Amino acid sequence: MPQPVTYHRTAQVAGVEVFYREAGPKGAPVVVLLHGFPSSSHMHRILIPALADRYHVIAPDLPGFGLSAMPSQADFEYSFANFSKVVAGLLDQLGAERYALYVMDYGAPTGFRLALAHPERVTALIVQNGNAYDDGMGDFWAQTRAYWADNGPANRDAMRPFLTLDGTRFQYLTGARDEARIDPAAWLSDQLFLDRPGSAEIQLDIIYDYRTNVALYPEFHAWFREHRPPALILWGENDPIFMPDGAHAFLRDLPDAELHFFDTGHFALEEKADEMIPVMRDFLARNLSQ
């Protein structure tokens, strides 16, 4: 069977140029892939062709990430509320009326906000190291919580090391069992975009806005309980950012969710795609009508 072709496209959404990857047959069930920090749809470069033989896959870059535009803070408010609106606008343009969501890290609150706004559209959830519970947020978050409480210059500056190459490499390698399986070009690509002039201030704004997601956790939980979408929880169990307790917590509100742990870290797909993709394909085959 020939490998599905991935197309690399842009669209104008609410005045922002949005880059997205798209693959798979039109008319097939739609799967939307939402990336995390500090990555982009590039993190799905292996997953997209692995799903696109049976599904119509759409993977956008959020504003300020990857190859999407990075408008100034004066021209665009960098918030998760706006991220979800941009994604919704893109999906409307592409005619994606119903879709499964694969969400990771920043993609999780973006996708969950999308679900709150358009609950009838979400056919299934795949969550990979994307938090929705305080349970998964341990000591790693102490400095971030201080920043949320006081966004003055000292706390803002204390977050800057997380935006450096060392900070990005940390996210990819901490908890990995075989670093040779992780392509260094992945974190170097992320860092290329983080190092653009003006990017650091934008990213610091986004980190500060993340507090609004935590405030919405009870609404996310209520949505899980009310709508009970088929759910697959995939977790790199050695992730220092979102720890395993955050994965188990989903079962409180989605008791029928399928939970799988993998012996790796935050960017689990980078090391364990060969183990994770068969689990995803099986889940989607059972829960999305063809």
Side-chain angles (χ1 to χ4, degrees):
M1 178 182 296
Q3 177 150 316
V5 174
T6 299
Y7 294 90
H8 306 83
R9 298 183 162 123
T10 59
Q12 289 289 330
V13 183
V16 178
E17 186 175 85
V18 177
F19 174 86
Y20 63 100
R21 290 170 161 90
E22 186 175 23
K26 302 285 189 181
V30 176
V31 179
V32 176
L33 312 178
L34 298 180
H35 67 79
F37 168 86
S39 195
S40 66
S41 59
H42 180 260
M43 69 166 282
H44 296 124
R45 64 198 179 280
I46 298 170
L47 181 57
I48 292 170
L51 299 180
D53 62 325
R54 298 187 65 181
Y55 306 102
H56 184 187
V57 183
I58 301 168
D61 290 357
L62 297 176
F65 291 83
L67 293 168
S68 284
M70 189 181 73
S72 71
Q73 293 144 294
D75 294 330
F76 182 82
E77 181 184 356
Y78 285 89
S79 69
F80 287 87
N82 275 348
F83 287 166
S84 66
K85 291 174 183 175
V86 168
V87 173
L90 174 66
L91 296 177
D92 285 344
Q93 285 191 30
L94 298 180
E97 297 179 353
R98 288 172 58 78
Y99 39 80
L101 286 172
Y102 177 107
V103 298
M104 185 265 178
D105 191 280
Y106 276 9
T110 301
F112 298 152
R113 287 170 181 266
L114 192 62
L116 290 179
H118 306 284
E120 73 288 351
R121 299 184 182 182
V122 179
T123 56
L125 281 179
I126 301 176
V127 181
Q128 188 249 298
N129 294 76
N131 214 55
Y133 295 85
D134 288 327
D135 307 54
M137 302 172 73
D139 293 344
F140 174 88
W141 289 86
Q143 184 60 60
T144 307
R145 291 186 185 279
Y147 177 40
W148 293 344
D150 173 9
N151 67 340
N155 284 330
R156 187 174 176 92
D157 287 344
M159 302 304 301
R160 294 184 189 276
F162 194 53
L163 307 178
T164 66
L165 181 59
D166 284 345
T168 301
R169 186 189 296 112
F170 165 86
Q171 293 190 67
Y172 275 85
L173 297 185
T174 303
R177 286 306 177 210
D178 185 354
E179 292 183 6
R181 299 191 69 170
I182 301 178
D183 184 355
W187 69 73
L188 292 172
S189 172
D190 289 353
Q191 196 63 39
L192 174 72
F193 295 106
L194 280 179
D195 288 344
R196 289 176 292 178
S199 175
E201 300 310 316
I202 286 169
Q203 293 299 330
L204 291 169
D205 284 357
I206 296 169
I207 293 170
Y208 183 63
D209 188 72
Y210 196 93
R211 76 196 191 286
T212 66
N213 298 323
V214 178
L216 276 180
Y217 281 179
E219 292 187 44
F220 296 162
H221 305 163
W223 185 86
F224 297 154
R225 290 191 300 269
E226 179 179 354
H227 293 278
R228 294 288 182 93
L232 175 65
I233 315 299
L234 307 174
W235 219 265
E237 62 186 347
N238 310 319
D239 183 358
I241 301 171
F242 295 128
M243 297 186 298
D245 285 350
H248 287 292
F250 280 92
L251 300 181
R252 293 203 294 264
D253 299 303
L254 292 167
D256 298 325
E258 303 171 30
L259 175 59
H260 297 260
F261 287 103
F262 300 87
D263 188 13
T264 188
H266 188 63
F267 279 98
L269 272 176
E270 293 293 330
E271 185 180 13
K272 298 293 185 179
D274 58 322
E275 297 178 23
M276 297 168 70
I277 287 170
V279 175
M280 280 184 267
R281 286 181 60 88
D282 173 67
F283 170 79
L284 292 171
R286 288 184 285 109
N287 290 286
L288 296 189
S289 57
Q290 298 297 314

